[in-house]
Amino acid sequence: METLQNKRISAIDFGRGMSVLVMILVHTLWVYGSIETQRDSTLGHVIHFLGKGTAMFLVSMGVSFVLSSRQSVAGSMKRGLIILGVGYLMNVLKFIVPLELFHTMPEGFLQDYGWVRPLSSGQLIWLATIGDILQLAGVALFFMGWANRYVKNKFILLVIALLIALPSRLLSGFSTDIPVLHYLCELFFSDAWHVYFPVFPWMSFMFAGMFFGRYYKEMQNDQDLLFKKMLLYGLIFLAVGGALCYYNFTYHFGDFFHLGPGVRFISLG
């Protein structure tokens, strides 16, 4: 019986690890770097360029999820809740603690938001509930667990990925005035800076990764064949995404976190 270690893909694990390191660099630059460093320096440009590899991390997460031995629906939901908890704890540690306890947060951070001290309770809650990549991962695990359990055809996983990405521009900004539901809508469909990684469309990368994970298992864990398949699908998505952006650049492009399907397909490719 093949061990889990033999099923792992070193390149996928390496990609995930490098993505995490880059995320640390990006967050440090955004919070503590000067405007000049962020926008005008070579260092800032390099870190921002590397930060565009978030899609690689999410695809890798989907592949690894399928290859993991912890695939039960209940287990996925439990992990999702834990990751959500860690995500909000991270918000407190990286925003509230340096702002209110140690007073080490640069004033430029507050100026970016147009805020002045002392911060109101509403502003502190806003910071504590920012939606970052851990919030995305936590929510996505709920859906990934159910899909992995009940979706048997790998191509349906790819279709789900496309159905998440395609209407993202139409759903962007969808919300309600009901407080709790409003925040849930932000997590799923945000078009503003309170949630950086809305589920639509970012979860599409994870389902694409699950598709390739299933492919890998069906190919008897043949890494060379998997990467050939990834190359083929990557070229297809690059071509389709490029054509969509060429057809209507304004619709498919926006800021990095709230893009249309065309740029998402390019990122996936």
Side-chain angles (χ1 to χ4, degrees), residues 3 8 11 49 62 67 69 71 80 105 135 142 146 186 201 204 207 217 219 231 257:
T3 64
R8 299 190 70 90
F49 176 78
L67 302 183
S69 59
Q71 295 182 345
M105 186 70 80
Q135 282 75 14
F142 285 81
W146 285 98
E186 283 192 316
S204 61
F207 271 85
K217 294 175 73 171
M219 293 184 295
L231 174 61
F257 297 99

Side-chain angles (χ1 to χ4, degrees), residues 136-158:
L136 166 67
V139 172
L141 278 171
F142 285 81
F143 296 94
M144 293 166 68
W146 285 98
N148 196 54
R149 172 67 177 82
Y150 294 106
V151 177
K152 303 303 182 182
N153 188 317
K154 63 180 181 295
F155 288 104
I156 295 180
L157 294 173
L158 185 60

